[in-house]
Amino acid sequence: MVTSTMIRSFLVCSLLLLASCAPEGFKGTDISGVEWGGDFELTAHTGKRVRSSEFRGKALVIFFGYTHCPDICAPTLVRLAQTLKQLGPGAERVQVFFITVDPRHDTPAQLAGFVPTFHPSFLGLTGSDRELAAVARNYRVVYEPDPTHPDQIPHSGMILVKDAQGKPRLLFKNDTAAEDIAHDLRLLLKQG
């Protein structure tokens, strides 16, 4: 039986294969020109509502996950913190968003005790089920609670990067080396 999750996973994999050519010297997958990944508004771990468009002029690094994730999220956030360290002063022109897929547990207070421990500039974002589902759909992120393990939420493990103009540009697997992400962010930041 083919499920909608399987179809979405196939579409994401197909996109990665089609875009695997990196004409600008990117190490990640160049997704320039995709028609998804628009602006959104969610609640930050500070309790303040933020719009992604408020960060124009910065490269946005977006990762979906949850604070109780047993295997993917914390190591990915560690790699993203290492990426910022490698960028040195250029890190000021990058904003990392960690968007939860578990709003039931990941309140602003929960995110505040988790996300900034990796890097003080990271923003943890949450919202209502409806808001998060809409953002995830817009970014082609798949997540679905596991009915047999209610505290586990299988989810897409991709890192999306938007350029300083707010356009989706790059896609990385969650286990991509910090050096490769930093390399590509430097290229994007040079472009403006």
Side-chain angles (χ1 to χ4, degrees):
M1 179 170 147
V2 177
T3 66
S4 62
T5 301
M6 293 168 78
I7 292 170
R8 287 184 197 134
S9 295
F10 173 77
L11 291 174
V12 169
C13 289
S14 297
L15 173 67
L16 290 174
L17 288 173
L18 289 172
S20 62
C21 234
E24 296 186 55
F26 291 127
K27 295 183 181 283
T29 302
D30 187 341
I31 58 168
S32 301
V34 298
E35 296 295 325
W36 43 271
D39 290 326
F40 57 83
E41 180 179 337
L42 292 169
T43 302
H45 70 261
T46 60
K48 177 186 170 197
R49 294 288 286 183
V50 296
R51 291 179 185 266
S52 58
S53 60
E54 292 172 28
F55 296 88
R56 285 293 187 314
K58 290 187 173 195
L60 294 183
V61 177
I62 302 169
F63 179 66
F64 289 78
Y66 63 109
T67 61
H68 292 91
C69 178
D71 54 1
I72 295 173
C73 299
T76 301
L77 291 172
V78 167
R79 270 189 292 286
L80 293 176
Q82 291 167 344
T83 298
L84 292 190
K85 185 175 182 181
Q86 290 181 26
L87 290 174
E92 294 176 10
R93 296 181 52 212
V94 176
Q95 179 61 58
V96 173
F97 286 154
F98 176 78
I99 301 176
T100 187
V101 295
D102 185 14
R104 183 169 60 106
H105 293 111
D106 289 345
T107 63
Q110 175 69 22
L111 290 168
F114 179 76
V115 176
T117 64
F118 296 94
H119 195 280
S121 72
F122 288 6
L123 282 176
L125 301 175
T126 190
S128 68
D129 286 332
R130 178 178 280 180
E131 287 173 322
L132 292 169
V135 174
R137 237 184 346 269
N138 193 357
Y139 281 79
R140 305 298 192 257
V141 170
V142 179
Y143 67 96
E144 191 170 331
D146 182 342
T148 60
H149 299 94
D151 287 337
Q152 293 184 13
I153 304 174
H155 60 90
S156 303
M158 304 306 269
I159 301 165
L160 180 111
V161 176
K162 296 174 88 172
D163 65 19
Q165 290 75 43
K167 295 182 176 131
R169 294 294 304 278
L170 296 165
L171 201 60
F172 296 97
K173 293 189 306 184
N174 66 286
D175 61 354
T176 300
E179 296 81 18
D180 291 347
I181 301 171
H183 171 272
D184 287 5
L185 284 170
R186 283 187 197 98
L187 289 177
L188 277 184
L189 294 172
K190 281 181 189 173
Q191 294 174 6

